[in-house]
Amino acid sequence: CALQAIHKALAATAKAQETRFNQRVWHRILMNILLDTAHCPTPEAARPTELSQQFNWKILQLISDTFLALNPMRVPAFCFSWLDLISHKQFMTRILNIPHRRGWLLFQRIF
């Protein structure tokens, strides 16, 4: 998965550069992915189908797994961008509004 490659490269760069690590570049990459996945066209945009809801669920699972792998305990140099990304309206709102509160467990796991 591309998100795994991004988080591995980000963690390796943060470890190698330590104090010179520039988190803005990685923040922009992850933010663009988050924004692009938020506006994925569905066949019936007015009424989400079962398939589009499953697709949205899988995308949010992948993104939350990436944020879990990049948490401040693992990549301390990325903590401010990480906090901005997980609290962004395109992530937090989408994940917490998943039916049957399935997204709440994903969001809780990130912390």
Side-chain angles (χ1 to χ4, degrees), residues 11-72:
T13 304
K15 187 175 182 179
Q17 293 181 353
E18 293 180 0
T19 58
R20 297 178 308 127
F21 177 68
N22 185 1
Q23 59 183 318
R24 291 178 296 179
V25 175
W26 299 99
H27 180 272
R28 284 188 200 122
I29 291 170
L30 290 169
M31 182 62 76
N32 283 330
I33 290 171
L34 187 62
L35 294 175
D36 286 346
T37 59
H39 300 293
C40 286
T42 58
E44 299 174 22
R47 263 181 327 178
T49 63
E50 178 78 24
L51 184 62
S52 66
Q53 288 177 353
Q54 288 177 358
F55 180 73
N56 189 38
W57 169 248
K58 291 293 182 188
I59 292 283
L60 288 172
Q61 279 182 318
L62 290 171
I63 292 172
S64 68
D65 288 346
T66 301
F67 290 158
L68 177 64
L70 294 173
N71 75 32

Side-chain angles (χ1 to χ4, degrees), residues 49-103:
T49 63
E50 178 78 24
L51 184 62
S52 66
Q53 288 177 353
Q54 288 177 358
F55 180 73
N56 189 38
W57 169 248
K58 291 293 182 188
I59 292 283
L60 288 172
Q61 279 182 318
L62 290 171
I63 292 172
S64 68
D65 288 346
T66 301
F67 290 158
L68 177 64
L70 294 173
N71 75 32
M73 294 297 289
R74 295 181 182 158
V75 188
F78 192 65
C79 66
F80 295 111
S81 290
W82 178 83
L83 188 59
D84 185 54
L85 288 165
I86 65 163
S87 62
H88 194 272
K89 65 182 178 180
Q90 291 296 337
F91 179 69
M92 186 185 287
T93 305
R94 283 172 58 203
I95 202 163
L96 294 179
N97 284 329
I98 293 176
H100 310 294
R101 294 192 177 197
R102 292 188 316 173

